[in-house]
Amino acid sequence: RLSRETTLSVLRRLCISCAMLFPSVSNAKAEATVSAFELKANGINYRIFTSEPVGVAPATGFPVIYLLDGNTTFPLAQKWLAENDDIQAVLVGIGYPIDNRNEIIRLRYFDLTPETPADLVPSRDGKPAPRTGGRDAFHAFVQKTVRSEIERRFPIDRSRQTLFGHSLSGLFTLQAMFDQPNDFQIYSAADPSIWWNNRSVLKHKDAFVSTRNNTSPTIRLFIETSGKRVNREGQTAQLAMKMDTLRGGPSGSDIYAELSRLPGIHASYKLLADESHGSMLPFVVNDTLDYALRVQTSNLTKK
């Protein structure tokens, strides 16, 4: 019998493989047209997965959800939309035109992180630390290139744009909010890796906090965290100890507690007590879409 973590790993691989196969298909139940196109920036090829409702758009356009780690998260979001066919929204998954999981991991480490000393980068299976430092270039790519292309292709409601990320992409989502808070109206960060690079994101958080006042534009923020700590299979005791040290400090719940007190921040928080960092992903994608497209208040807050 497969463990929960192993089953989720298999599911992720299947999602990645399936996502690579469709050039343009129609999902009748979800009343959405799914397609993909490619963009290149900073020497890296990206695949942009999209799902557009069929029919006439509202006068204000469709709300849009930008999903980082799109190879995995887009199929999960598409499934939620198919099961909630009263909702009309454009989904955008930002991923890579490959199905090699190790290569995706290598690329995402670079795209989602600031330049980080090697001793602060956790290695995987004894391999050299992955390359880091592409975060600012990737942020510019998402902010300018991807959004411009999506707005050219689809009727978008610019007052209802959501950015979602999990783990390192949750860290990216928070820093995007701290650095350019007006780019999106809703930010969702699942188990954000605040500990990364000796918690350097906290400097960006402090600068963001210092600028908030009663005239600041309203931001909706959803943070969700897992409750179970699971070590990677085969991880040595030495590496587990190093990871515990690296991952110390403030968590997503601490960030929520601080930011929820700021003017103009409508924040919600949810703890998935029975899920781990990996197993939470399908649940948090569902919760994010529910929060962005259904929930108008902070009634998702749970502990």
Side-chain angles (χ1 to χ4, degrees), residues 172-224:
F172 179 95
T173 296
L174 285 181
Q175 188 164 334
M177 184 184 75
F178 297 149
D179 293 350
Q180 301 288 339
N182 299 331
D183 281 357
F184 301 89
Q185 294 70 51
I186 304 173
Y187 294 84
S188 177
D191 258 4
S193 302
I194 297 163
W195 54 271
W196 185 270
N197 193 32
N198 200 24
R199 296 166 285 282
S200 62
V201 72
L202 297 181
K203 295 179 181 178
H204 298 260
K205 181 265 297 176
D206 291 341
F208 171 79
V209 169
S210 70
T211 65
R212 298 301 295 181
N213 56 54
N214 291 328
T215 65
S216 299
T218 298
I219 294 173
R220 291 178 60 201
L221 171 65
F222 180 45
I223 294 180
E224 191 158 7

Side-chain angles (χ1 to χ4, degrees), residues 63-303:
V64 58
I65 315 291
Y66 290 91
L67 302 131
L68 302 174
D69 291 322
N71 297 73
T72 303
T73 58
F74 180 83
L76 296 171
Q78 188 190 356
K79 180 176 182 294
W80 182 93
L81 207 59
E83 294 169 350
N84 293 271
D85 52 5
D86 60 314
I87 295 292
Q88 288 192 315
V90 170
L91 300 179
V92 180
I94 304 172
Y96 306 97
I98 52 180
D99 58 6
N100 183 311
R101 177 169 169 75
N102 289 331
E103 182 67 6
I104 290 174
I105 288 171
R106 183 186 70 81
L107 289 170
R108 75 184 292 273
Y109 264 105
F110 179 71
D111 277 340
L112 299 173
T113 62
E115 189 167 353
T116 307
D119 61 334
L120 295 179
V121 179
S123 61
R124 300 175 68 90
D125 305 320
K127 296 178 181 178
R131 185 181 172 210
T132 62
R135 187 212 164 273
D136 289 344
F138 183 64
H139 186 193
F141 168 68
V142 172
Q143 178 190 33
K144 299 176 183 178
T145 306
V146 176
R147 291 205 310 162
S148 295
E149 185 63 22
I150 292 301
E151 290 170 7
R152 185 184 71 81
R153 291 170 178 255
F154 307 112
I156 297 299
D157 183 348
R158 296 186 182 184
S159 70
R160 296 184 65 191
Q161 301 180 94
T162 300
L163 180 65
F164 164 76
H166 164 258
S167 191
L168 282 177
S169 60
L171 170 70
F172 179 95
T173 296
L174 285 181
Q175 188 164 334
M177 184 184 75
F178 297 149
D179 293 350
Q180 301 288 339
N182 299 331
D183 281 357
F184 301 89
Q185 294 70 51
I186 304 173
Y187 294 84
S188 177
D191 258 4
S193 302
I194 297 163
W195 54 271
W196 185 270
N197 193 32
N198 200 24
R199 296 166 285 282
S200 62
V201 72
L202 297 181
K203 295 179 181 178
H204 298 260
K205 181 265 297 176
D206 291 341
F208 171 79
V209 169
S210 70
T211 65
R212 298 301 295 181
N213 56 54
N214 291 328
T215 65
S216 299
T218 298
I219 294 173
R220 291 178 60 201
L221 171 65
F222 180 45
I223 294 180
E224 191 158 7
T225 60
S226 59
K228 287 187 175 180
R229 175 67 62 85
V230 177
N231 289 330
R232 189 175 293 124
E233 187 175 346
Q235 189 176 61
T236 66
Q238 182 179 10
L239 180 56
M241 185 178 299
K242 177 182 179 180
M243 293 302 297
D244 286 342
T245 300
L246 286 176
R247 291 175 174 169
S251 66
S253 61
D254 297 314
I255 296 297
Y256 159 76
E258 180 177 2
L259 298 187
S260 62
R261 297 192 294 266
L262 298 178
I265 303 292
H266 296 178
S268 294
Y269 171 74
K270 186 174 181 180
L271 170 65
L272 294 175
D274 295 327
E275 303 300 331
S276 69
H277 184 71
S279 71
M280 76 181 298
L281 188 57
F283 302 101
V284 76
V285 168
N286 292 352
D287 288 342
T288 292
L289 269 66
D290 199 51
Y291 178 79
L293 301 173
R294 289 191 186 280
V295 179
Q296 299 301 314
T297 61
S298 57
N299 62 0
L300 261 180
T301 303
K302 292 183 181 180
K303 290 188 180 180

Side-chain angles (χ1 to χ4, degrees), residues 6-74:
T6 302
T7 301
L8 182 64
S9 177
V10 171
L11 174 62
R12 282 178 173 174
R13 291 172 185 268
L14 286 173
C15 286
I16 292 170
S17 298
C18 290
M20 295 297 108
L21 294 177
F22 59 79
S24 179
V25 298
S26 177
N27 185 326
K29 181 179 179 182
E31 294 189 344
T33 299
V34 180
S35 60
F37 60 91
E38 294 188 14
L39 295 171
K40 186 172 183 177
N42 309 306
I44 299 175
N45 294 318
Y46 297 93
R47 178 161 289 172
I48 311 301
F49 307 97
T50 64
S51 174
E52 179 191 19
V54 172
V56 179
T60 56
F62 294 119
V64 58
I65 315 291
Y66 290 91
L67 302 131
L68 302 174
D69 291 322
N71 297 73
T72 303
T73 58
F74 180 83

